[in-house]
Amino acid sequence: MWYNFIEVISEGESNLLTIEGIVKDIVFRNELNSYTVARLETEDGEATIVGEIPFINLGETLKVEGEWIYHPRYGEQLKISTVSMVVPSTINGIERYLSSGLIPYIGPKTARKIVERFGLDTMDIIQYNPEKLKEIEGIGDKKLEKIVTAYREQGEIRDIMIFLQQYGISPNHGMRIYKKYGKDTINILSQNPYKLSEDIYGIGFKKADKIAENMGISKNSPHRIQGGIRYVLNSYAANGHSYVPLGELTEETVDLLGVEADRIHESIRDLVMKGVIHALTVDEDIRVYYTPYHVAENNVAKKIVELSKAELMDLETDVDEMIKSIEEEDKIEFAYKQIEAIKESINNGVVVITGGPGTGKTTIINAIIKIFQEEGLKVNLAAPTGRAAKRMTEATGVEAKTIHRLLEYSYMDEEMVFGLDEDKPLDTDLLIVDEASMVDILLMNSLLKSLVPGTRLILVGDVDQLPSVGAGNVLRDIINSQGVKVVELDEIFRQAKESLIVVNAHRINKGLYPILNKGSDFFFIKEENPSQILNTILELCKDRLPSYYGVDSVKDIQVLTPMKKGDVGLNSLNKHLQEILNPKGPHKKENQIGEEIFRVGDKVMQIKNNYSIEWEVIEDGMVTERGEGVFNGDLGTIMDMDEEDRILKVLFDEGKEVEYSFDQLDELKLSYAITIHKSQGSEFPIVVMPIFNGPPMLLTRNLLYTAITRAKKLVVLVGDEKYLHSMIRNNRIDRRYSSLDYKINNMLNMY
């Protein structure tokens, strides 16, 4: 049958053929350009179709139009020109469609039950009378809601995907766009495609600009110029900057857009008038902010000064006597600066306590807590991450919460909101924040909103570690402002001196070479090329460290790396570590998303904030706590995977069990290895780190310092010694554009 069509085409005639069938197999799919090879099962047999198909799933019924071509290797194929989805009209087609996994909570078993119950009326039941699905065992209200929502989305998604595909947008990005804009996608992007560069992860300005060009939008369009300005501001914020100098912003935007500087200045004025951005003049230097960052800096500066100048309630306790009592009870002797830190925390509204590992920060926190509790005052502890909060709890015996949890975050109208603020403040007399160097300007603003004057605030952190991932340089700016009391701890205590991790951290921080292979907790293994480094790391994680130290390869060892690419970059390390620590097995469930395979037992990390995802803490088979929200950097383990319901379960470190639908798995990343930036606020029993060549901006002293201070018991560095030398010499600390110190000083001048 097919030969006749091929014969006609070979004679030079153009004949379009329309066929309809069920997608039986997807042989090949390029996610970047949607090029697909698939097999359709039709009434007349099986046909292979090829072409750009923006959205296709197993079990779908497609109507395709195209012409037959002959491939010398693969034979006859229908090269499609148009494709559309049709509702399946046979029992077999309906069952295949429902079994495809396209609709969550309907797998092969459930699909068969539905079709057996409703027959050819199944699709009408789902569309017009879905309540009847509850007649099927296992489908309750919650599952029904997800089934109905997913089915209704299919029509919308199909139209939107076809619209986006004509402008070169991949299905992967298309799904992200649909999640953001929903049914309004086409209308929104037709008016202003530059919103993509603001709202959609993975679509940069240049991609949005190309789409706009295909849509016929002028290069001098205000949407384009304003979009370019926003893009540059966002790029700087992503690199930690609160603002961009006007000259730099203009130059970057001219390079990006190829338009005159005057047009850019005109658009900047328009955005200032709209309140989208703010221009601040400091000594003839014009600093351009996205307005939220400017407002956050103003609020933080004002609140820091208010808290530091507020009248404080005197403590009745004799502090000197209390310090002596703590020394006797805990069999310790406080150093001069530790006593200073304790007393200043009592006498001042805001105090910063900073110092490296082994300088007694935790000892000070414990003493301050005891003194305030002795007075009957309320103390709250907080940290930026769940792991840092857990460590703080273990070290003090007092519950510490993440800042988000302390502020009672919730998710409303696709935005995260805090329950505590200036209208409903935190009920506490003292708030101690650990790992304060990690707190960015937006989060610090939200935190300080919840504090009333008279509340004491203690910020504890290591200012020499990497700064926050988010915009701002909060801890360093507060210190540099000289507007609050700062106690810098620089003495390493006797017990800490016994650890080469602590000793070497301080040596590296001072630009000195570490002491190698002379103790029991800090080692350097020399390897010259990346493949040797990789093999050694694999041996260490799989056999050598577990057998010698009696540790668990997955739970107790964390590989940290400076970068993502290369033989010993993040992606390569995770692939190889997964192969040896959690290999494929005949009965081990797994699912592939893009190039990454997720397998039951894998160590994973959440790589973006998800404020709405639900979690449960289950103890002895009972749910003891429920909540919402998993955050960027949270680590967990894949517990189970259900192909029928298309869900994956992760147990996070704090005991939170979370269910992910398969289409949410882009929020997870294998984490046998993580970047050093992602390790901030965490502590691991053993840290293994490759030392190799790379960009100077990534191979810095404070990056190395941050990495080794994550280790609790053992550090193993593997690589070339000359690059270890170069990292220690490279004291490059890129300037962050922030004005918090300037604004604090301005506020102080008003008092």
Side-chain angles (χ1 to χ4, degrees):
M1 174 181 176
W2 308 127
Y3 179 81
N4 293 332
F5 287 104
I6 298 168
E7 191 173 45
V8 171
I9 294 169
S10 67
E11 293 174 359
E13 299 180 22
S14 177
N15 287 271
L16 291 180
L17 172 72
T18 300
I19 63 172
E20 183 177 311
I22 298 169
V23 180
K24 182 180 180 182
D25 186 24
I26 299 173
V27 180
F28 172 78
R29 180 170 184 77
N30 185 326
E31 293 292 345
L32 295 177
N33 60 18
S34 307
Y35 182 80
T36 304
V37 179
R39 292 194 181 96
L40 284 190
E41 186 177 296
T42 75
E43 290 182 355
D44 298 311
E46 194 174 289
T48 299
I49 60 172
V50 298
E52 294 183 0
I53 309 176
F55 197 70
I56 187 173
N57 290 279
L58 293 173
E60 287 184 323
T61 300
L62 300 182
K63 180 182 286 186
V64 298
E65 186 179 73
E67 61 181 12
W68 287 103
I69 60 172
Y70 186 82
H71 191 284
R73 182 174 178 183
Y74 299 110
E76 59 264 35
Q77 300 175 334
L78 187 69
K79 183 178 180 180
I80 63 171
S81 56
T82 63
V83 59
S84 60
M85 177 182 169
V86 296
V87 177
S89 56
T90 66
I91 292 291
N92 183 43
I94 293 170
E95 185 175 337
R96 281 202 174 194
Y97 172 74
L98 295 179
S99 300
S100 67
L102 190 62
I103 301 176
Y105 292 107
I106 297 183
K109 295 177 184 176
T110 305
R112 176 160 294 182
K113 291 178 185 177
I114 293 173
V115 172
E116 286 176 352
R117 175 71 180 83
F118 301 114
L120 292 173
D121 295 329
T122 294
M123 303 310 293
D124 286 338
I125 292 291
I126 294 174
Q127 186 167 1
Y128 302 112
N129 196 7
E131 284 290 321
K132 280 183 168 290
L133 291 178
K134 289 198 287 186
E135 296 175 14
I136 305 299
E137 183 182 357
I139 298 181
D141 290 333
K142 187 175 180 180
K143 282 191 177 183
L144 178 65
E145 182 182 353
K146 291 181 181 291
I147 290 168
V148 171
T149 299
Y151 180 75
R152 288 176 178 168
E153 283 178 349
Q154 297 311 309
E156 291 176 1
I157 292 173
R158 174 69 57 178
D159 294 340
I160 288 167
M161 287 296 177
I162 292 172
F163 169 80
L164 296 176
Q165 190 253 353
Q166 66 182 313
Y167 298 113
I169 299 175
S170 72
N172 187 31
H173 283 139
M175 285 304 299
R176 290 178 180 171
I177 293 167
Y178 177 76
K179 286 179 183 179
K180 177 67 179 177
Y181 305 129
K183 62 183 179 182
D184 296 324
T185 297
I186 295 174
N187 183 45
I188 289 171
L189 298 188
S190 296
Q191 294 181 33
N192 183 12
Y194 293 101
K195 284 183 68 63
L196 292 172
S197 64
E198 300 170 44
D199 298 337
I200 308 301
Y201 176 77
I203 296 186
F205 180 83
K206 292 180 181 178
K207 179 69 174 176
D209 202 29
K210 185 65 177 176
I211 294 166
E213 183 182 359
N214 291 341
M215 289 181 171
I217 293 176
S218 166
K219 286 187 176 293
N220 292 324
S221 161
H223 282 313
R224 180 173 187 258
I225 298 172
Q226 290 181 16
I229 293 166
R230 288 171 181 258
Y231 173 72
V232 173
L233 287 170
N234 274 331
S235 298
Y236 273 72
N239 288 318
H241 302 288
S242 297
Y243 71 85
V244 185
L246 176 62
E248 218 168 301
L249 175 62
T250 303
E251 184 180 341
E252 292 276 352
T253 312
V254 166
D255 289 344
L256 180 71
L257 302 179
V259 300
E260 298 86 353
D262 287 346
R263 290 185 181 272
I264 291 166
H265 290 156
E266 183 180 339
S267 286
I268 288 174
R269 285 192 293 270
D270 289 344
L271 289 170
V272 169
M273 293 293 292
K274 293 175 183 176
V276 174
I277 65 177
H278 181 87
L280 173 70
T281 303
V282 179
D283 298 329
E284 299 183 358
D285 173 29
I286 299 177
R287 304 175 176 184
V288 183
Y289 285 82
Y290 245 137
T291 297
Y293 296 109
H294 170 67
V295 170
E297 277 192 350
N298 285 350
N299 291 345
V300 170
K302 181 180 178 183
K303 206 56 178 278
I304 287 289
V305 174
E306 282 183 355
L307 291 169
S308 66
K309 296 295 184 181
E311 185 176 343
L312 302 174
M313 180 176 59
D314 292 331
L315 301 191
E316 296 179 3
T317 301
D318 185 320
V319 176
D320 289 323
E321 287 299 320
M322 190 64 183
I323 289 173
K324 288 179 182 178
S325 174
I326 294 170
E327 287 180 323
E328 291 174 4
E329 183 180 339
D330 295 343
K331 294 181 175 57
I332 59 174
E333 183 178 347
F334 290 115
Y336 171 79
K337 282 200 172 182
Q338 287 182 306
I339 294 174
E340 179 189 3
I342 294 168
K343 289 184 174 181
E344 296 294 356
S345 298
I346 292 167
N347 297 329
N348 292 275
V350 180
V351 172
V352 174
I353 302 173
T354 183
T359 55
K361 296 191 295 292
T362 301
T363 304
I364 294 168
I365 292 172
N366 282 326
I368 293 169
I369 292 170
K370 285 182 180 180
I371 292 170
F372 275 79
Q373 288 180 337
E374 183 73 18
E375 284 280 314
L377 299 176
K378 189 166 185 180
V379 178
N380 281 88
L381 309 182
T385 67
R387 293 177 73 89
K390 183 179 179 182
R391 280 174 38 222
M392 199 179 186
T393 300
E394 292 169 349
T396 64
V398 177
E399 183 188 14
K401 297 179 180 179
T402 63
I403 295 173
H404 287 82
R405 189 176 168 208
L406 180 76
L407 298 179
E408 299 177 3
Y409 72 89
S410 60
Y411 193 74
M412 296 175 60
D413 299 327
E414 298 188 357
E415 289 189 4
M416 194 261 302
V417 296
F418 291 114
L420 300 185
D421 54 22
E422 54 267 74
D423 296 323
K424 185 185 175 184
L426 178 68
D427 179 20
T428 193
D429 298 297
L430 169 66
L431 174 63
I432 304 176
V433 181
D434 199 11
E435 297 284 359
S437 63
M438 293 179 62
V439 183
D440 62 40
I441 192 65
L442 296 180
L443 185 56
M444 183 60 78
N445 178 36
S446 296
L447 178 63
L448 296 187
K449 280 182 180 179
S450 73
L451 301 182
V452 297
T455 304
R456 289 172 171 87
L457 172 66
I458 302 174
L459 301 174
V460 183
D462 185 347
V463 75
D464 293 316
Q465 286 187 18
L466 294 172
S468 60
V469 175
N473 206 6
V474 177
L475 185 64
R476 189 175 290 276
D477 277 356
I478 291 174
I479 293 171
N480 290 343
S481 74
Q482 300 182 347
V484 303
K485 184 62 184 179
V486 177
V487 181
E488 184 175 353
L489 306 172
D490 52 14
E491 180 182 348
I492 306 174
F493 290 96
R494 182 180 57 80
Q495 187 175 359
K497 285 181 180 177
E498 297 172 3
S499 166
L500 276 184
I501 295 174
V502 173
V503 171
N504 283 337
H506 286 271
R507 289 181 65 85
I508 289 167
N509 201 31
K510 293 175 183 176
L512 301 175
Y513 199 69
I515 300 167
L516 301 177
N517 305 333
K518 291 185 179 179
S520 60
D521 64 354
F522 199 104
F523 297 95
F524 188 93
I525 300 174
K526 294 181 181 180
E527 297 291 359
E528 291 190 354
N529 64 61
S531 62
Q532 291 172 326
I533 295 172
L534 174 63
N535 289 333
T536 299
I537 288 175
L538 297 180
E539 290 173 8
L540 285 166
C541 293
K542 185 176 186 295
D543 298 316
R544 291 166 63 178
L545 293 175
S547 62
Y548 189 83
Y549 290 96
V551 296
D552 185 283
S553 295
V554 177
K555 293 180 181 178
D556 298 321
I557 302 172
Q558 184 61 61
V559 178
L560 302 181
T561 183
M563 60 193 72
K564 295 180 179 179
K565 296 181 180 178
D567 289 345
V568 283
L570 182 74
N571 299 326
S572 172
L573 282 166
N574 271 318
K575 178 183 176 183
H576 288 93
L577 286 166
Q578 183 192 46
E579 287 174 358
I580 65 166
L581 300 181
N582 190 29
K584 183 181 181 70
H587 304 296
K588 192 176 289 185
K589 299 174 185 176
E590 64 178 47
N591 186 270
Q592 184 164 355
I593 302 296
E595 296 183 359
E596 193 149 66
I597 295 171
F598 292 106
R599 191 173 291 145
V600 171
D602 275 337
K603 188 175 181 179
V604 292
M605 173 182 278
Q606 178 80 11
I607 59 171
K608 61 182 286 189
N609 290 333
N610 185 330
Y611 303 110
S612 62
I613 196 165
E614 297 176 353
W615 53 261
E616 295 178 338
V617 175
I618 300 175
E619 297 176 359
D620 298 325
M622 301 287 290
V623 176
T624 58
E625 190 178 357
R626 284 190 173 92
E628 292 182 343
V630 181
F631 300 102
N632 187 358
D634 286 353
L635 290 168
T637 304
I638 297 176
M639 301 165 56
D640 195 12
M641 201 176 294
D642 191 328
E643 290 287 346
E644 175 79 10
D645 288 344
R646 294 181 60 77
I647 59 173
L648 176 148
K649 293 182 181 179
V650 176
L651 176 65
F652 285 96
D653 284 347
E654 295 178 288
K656 297 176 180 178
E657 294 188 15
V658 179
E659 285 190 0
Y660 292 82
S661 63
F662 280 5
D663 63 3
Q664 290 177 300
L665 296 187
D666 61 346
E667 297 183 13
L668 294 176
K669 183 82 177 172
L670 292 176
S671 63
Y672 299 99
I674 61 177
T675 62
I676 296 166
H677 283 86
K678 288 287 190 183
S679 74
Q680 287 178 267
S682 297
E683 188 176 69
F684 310 99
I686 297 175
V687 164
V688 177
M689 178 182 172
I691 303 293
F692 58 101
N693 195 16
M697 64 182 295
L698 287 177
L699 301 184
T700 63
R701 182 189 299 174
N702 70 333
L703 192 85
L704 177 62
Y705 173 78
T706 299
I708 67 175
T709 55
R710 300 306 90 203
K712 190 174 182 180
K713 296 180 179 178
L714 178 67
V715 169
V716 183
L717 306 179
V718 183
D720 193 327
E721 216 169 339
K722 67 174 176 281
Y723 297 123
L724 181 61
H725 279 281
S726 66
M727 288 185 80
I728 295 167
R729 288 195 302 268
N730 183 9
N731 196 26
R732 171 178 176 168
I733 299 177
D734 290 335
R735 184 192 168 186
R736 284 201 166 192
Y737 292 129
S738 60
S739 307
L740 181 59
D741 50 356
Y742 167 82
K743 292 178 178 179
I744 289 173
N745 285 320
N746 273 357
M747 289 298 304
L748 285 168
N749 291 334
M750 295 171 60
Y751 271 78

